[in-house]
């Protein structure tokens, strides 16, 4: 097979899927995995078979790909342009649908266009992206209710958990923010029965506030999760197989660069990804088609033509660059799964 | 049109294409643009019509897409696996072909498989990726010659020019490295008539050593080039149109994130991209489907639903995430060009 290619170890994948399903069940929390990570109907099917309550998606076009799941949450404050409204109307004919809202203005526009649509109010729990501060959640919910939307609760994304030792503080903030926002809805006589949050780095710490969690990355794991300590090497299900094309001293070059791995690199990352079988190696630079790797002095350097498995930093980006995933079992390719929602950005 | 989408202003594009063609002609340097940036046959056609001597590509699969250009250089030290050899043989039937080589070992393997193939010896001029130090270029060239390859000269990529004030030093190193390597070839009686280098940030500084330049990004420009001072705002031909979906104080959120823009962000960048019509705005964070933008106090914040043009940091990554480019003229869509080599990584 030509390199680079994106391979998924189906045994590890299934272990990851089952472990998260069991974890959610043990804590009495609904699992609504984020499909943005895998973008693959075959993996969604496995998640639902293991008891997922539905799927989370980020965009309307992802929702269109996964409508057969039957129960979708678009965890995004969609602005209802005429074109988006037409697509959301068509989607509602195909699946139970819930979307995010984070302002009275968008609630009013959504309600006019799609009366009766279920919504969750998005709350900023410290990531400072979209979402309102908890104190404003009540006002947004009241506006949504008046606009003929069906308010079901609140949601947040604790994205600030992506950093060393930041998981517990982020979970504490998430719990507090969702609890405060839910109380505000209840005070207005509105339904706050859904309190949705969670992410892969915080999944193990799920507290008492959440009723629903939306992890995505857990299906594959990636170098970020390994370096955060939220995923062991043995739970990395997706790698990019690359070929050594050049070498000089302790440096060698792989034919996998940012156009297959993605360029995501947090400030705390050790490099542009990791090598599954060479844990001491560091990807010191990533060009579009080159990974520049350095091994410590004394460690044997792979030869030209050798094949090496790269663990990408952020697996969501990697999958979104691939047309298909090569499915392997005990190292042997057994299937190919299309990345049906690749590029589904609108 | 649904956002986000990738738009190319064809007037600016044609200005950029003509300016680089004129610049190369004025300096007597062959222009062999790198097609990895645009991945689009329509843009390749325009480059060739303006006098480009051929195209540069990074991979065999890119070469397969652009074979009709008739003269290709794969600027990459391909490791000739059996599958790559079969594809290179088929390519030679379709086009003049030249590839990179940076070791005696790969030269010998290539020569056995593809006798008579034209090669350039790759030299490391300071970027420390692939390529040999100039002093070793002679040995690689001799091995290539013995292996029945046709040595035509040397090439380098001065990637270390990507930094503030680093262009002139990188060009000086590029010139010195190519000159030293070419002299080594000549000393062995080998052809060193091609001395190929160049990149968009160094294009204006092309010295006396180069016989061929291979810029890619110049066709579109991007935020990196603007921030390096090697491209004015008026020469930015590609933008991603996004919609404001959320706002809070001086912060607002666009529906374009790393899955459409790419996640490239050099240490010296001001953020995750720039806004063409709001030069004081900073993209302080980029998630997969959110750009978090902050405007200085006092500047009016766009409203929800407003459309904003984002200039990506690194346009090659952006194009590789798109299936098509929306071609505009005076702000009006006039055509769609397929990104035919999207994902062509092998």
């Amino acid at each position: 097979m030509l390199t680079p290619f994106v391979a998924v170890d189906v045994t590890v994948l299934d272990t990851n899927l089952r472990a998260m399903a069991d974890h959610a069940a043990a804590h009495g929390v609904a699992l609504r995995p984020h499909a943005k990570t895998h973008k693959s109907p075959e993996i969604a099917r496995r998640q639902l078979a293991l008891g997922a309550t539905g799927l989370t998606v980020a965009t309307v076009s992802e929702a269109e790909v996964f409508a057969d799941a039957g129960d979708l949450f678009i965890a995004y404050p969609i602005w209802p342009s005429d074109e988006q409204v037409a697509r959301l109307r068509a989607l509602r004919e195909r699946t139970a649908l819930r979307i995010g809202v984070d302002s009275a203005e968008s609630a009013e526009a959504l309600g006019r266009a799609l009366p009766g649509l279920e919504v969750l109010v998005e709350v900023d729990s410290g990531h400072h992206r979209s979402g309102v501060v908890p104190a404003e959640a009540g006002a947004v919910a009241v506006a949504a209710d008046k606009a003929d939307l069906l308010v079901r609760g609140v949601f947040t994304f604790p994205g600030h958990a992506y950093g060393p030792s930041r998981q517990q503080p982020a979970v504490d903030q998430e719990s507090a923010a969702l609890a405060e926002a839910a109380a505000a809805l209840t005070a207005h006589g509105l339904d706050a029965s859904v309190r949705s949050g969670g992410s892969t780095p915080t999944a193990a710490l799920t507290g008492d506030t959440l009723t629903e969690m939306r992890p995505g990355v857990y299906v594959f794991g990636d170098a970020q999760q390994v370096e955060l300590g939220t995923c062991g090497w043995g739970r990395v299900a997706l790698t990019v197989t690359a070929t050594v094309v050049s070498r000089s001293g302790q440096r060698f070059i792989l034919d996998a660069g940012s156009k297959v791995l993605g360029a995501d690199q947090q400030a705390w990352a050790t490099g542009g990804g990791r090598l599954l079988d060479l844990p001491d190696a560091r990807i010191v630079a990533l060009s579009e088609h080159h990974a520049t790797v350095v091994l410590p002095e004394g460690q044997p350097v792979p030869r030209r033509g050798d094949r090496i498995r790269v663990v990408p930093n952020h697996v969501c980006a990697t999958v979104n660059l691939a047309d298909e995933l090569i499915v392997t079992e005990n190292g042997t390719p057994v299937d190919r799964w299309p990345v049906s929602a690749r590029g589904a950005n609108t």
Side-chain angles (χ1 to χ4, degrees), chain A:
Chain A
M1 201 173 304
L2 289 161
T3 61
F5 63 84
V6 181
V8 172
D9 183 319
V10 71
T11 309
V12 180
L13 171 73
D14 282 340
T15 298
N16 293 344
L17 296 181
R18 182 169 296 281
M20 190 63 82
D22 289 350
H23 172 73
H27 289 76
V29 175
L31 176 61
R32 189 185 281 278
H34 209 311
K36 75 185 172 76
T37 301
H38 57 69
K39 292 180 171 280
S40 306
E42 177 57 31
I43 298 177
R45 191 188 63 72
R46 289 168 186 243
Q47 290 173 318
L48 294 164
L50 286 166
T53 190
L55 297 176
T56 305
V57 296
T59 65
V60 178
S61 51
E62 279 188 348
E64 289 164 346
V65 172
F66 291 104
D68 289 345
D71 190 345
L72 298 180
F73 172 41
I74 307 178
Y76 198 86
I78 303 284
W79 179 254
S81 66
D82 291 348
E83 285 162 307
Q84 291 290 42
V85 164
R87 298 163 86 205
L88 289 169
R89 283 186 179 139
L91 260 178
R92 285 176 85 186
E93 303 292 317
R94 298 176 60 198
T95 175
L97 186 65
R98 182 178 286 171
I99 82 169
V101 62
D102 80 345
S103 70
E105 187 185 2
S106 53
E108 285 152 14
L110 269 177
R112 277 193 299 274
L114 296 148
L117 183 71
E118 287 195 10
V119 295
L120 300 185
V121 176
E122 183 173 6
V123 180
D124 177 2
S125 57
H127 188 37
H128 304 323
R129 195 172 67 177
S130 48
V132 293
V133 294
E136 293 175 12
V140 174
V142 166
D145 182 63
K146 281 193 183 154
D148 208 9
L149 297 172
L150 289 181
V151 177
R152 290 299 189 208
V154 293
F155 82 106
T156 192
F157 173 62
H160 53 313
Y162 273 81
S165 305
R166 289 199 217 141
Q167 291 76 55
Q168 189 63 59
V171 166
D172 294 342
Q173 289 183 285
E174 173 188 49
S175 295
L178 288 177
E180 181 183 348
L185 269 59
T186 306
H188 287 288
L190 296 172
D191 180 8
S193 55
V194 178
R195 297 181 298 280
S196 176
S199 66
T200 295
T202 58
L205 305 173
T206 299
D208 293 336
T209 305
L210 293 191
T211 64
E212 176 181 282
M213 57 195 292
R214 309 187 312 274
V217 170
Y218 77 97
V219 299
F220 300 131
D222 59 21
Q224 285 186 169
Q225 302 296 332
V226 170
E227 296 192 345
L228 288 175
T230 55
C231 164
W233 287 107
R235 296 287 280 275
V236 172
L238 183 147
T239 52
V240 174
T241 299
T243 300
V244 177
V245 295
S246 180
R247 50 179 284 184
S248 172
Q250 290 304 104
R251 182 178 84 210
F252 62 100
I253 306 294
L254 297 172
D255 65 356
S258 59
K259 277 180 170 167
V260 63
L261 296 167
D264 296 59
Q265 186 169 337
Q266 300 268 1
W268 43 264
T270 63
R274 294 291 288 269
L275 306 192
L276 189 60
D277 305 299
L278 294 169
D280 296 333
R282 292 292 177 270
I283 298 181
V284 298
L286 210 56
S287 312
E288 289 161 59
H289 297 282
H290 307 70
T292 303
V293 188
V294 173
L295 271 169
E297 284 298 330
Q299 292 201 13
V301 176
R303 298 180 312 170
R304 284 187 183 78
D306 283 357
R307 292 193 163 196
I308 305 281
R309 293 186 291 175
V310 184
V311 182
N313 273 343
H314 183 195
V315 73
C316 304
T318 310
V319 170
N320 189 49
L321 287 161
D323 290 316
E324 61 179 11
L325 307 175
I326 305 299
V327 185
T328 67
E329 201 167 351
N330 300 319
T332 304
V334 294
D335 206 349
R336 293 163 181 260
W337 291 342
V339 183
S340 304
R342 180 196 58 73
N345 291 317
T346 58

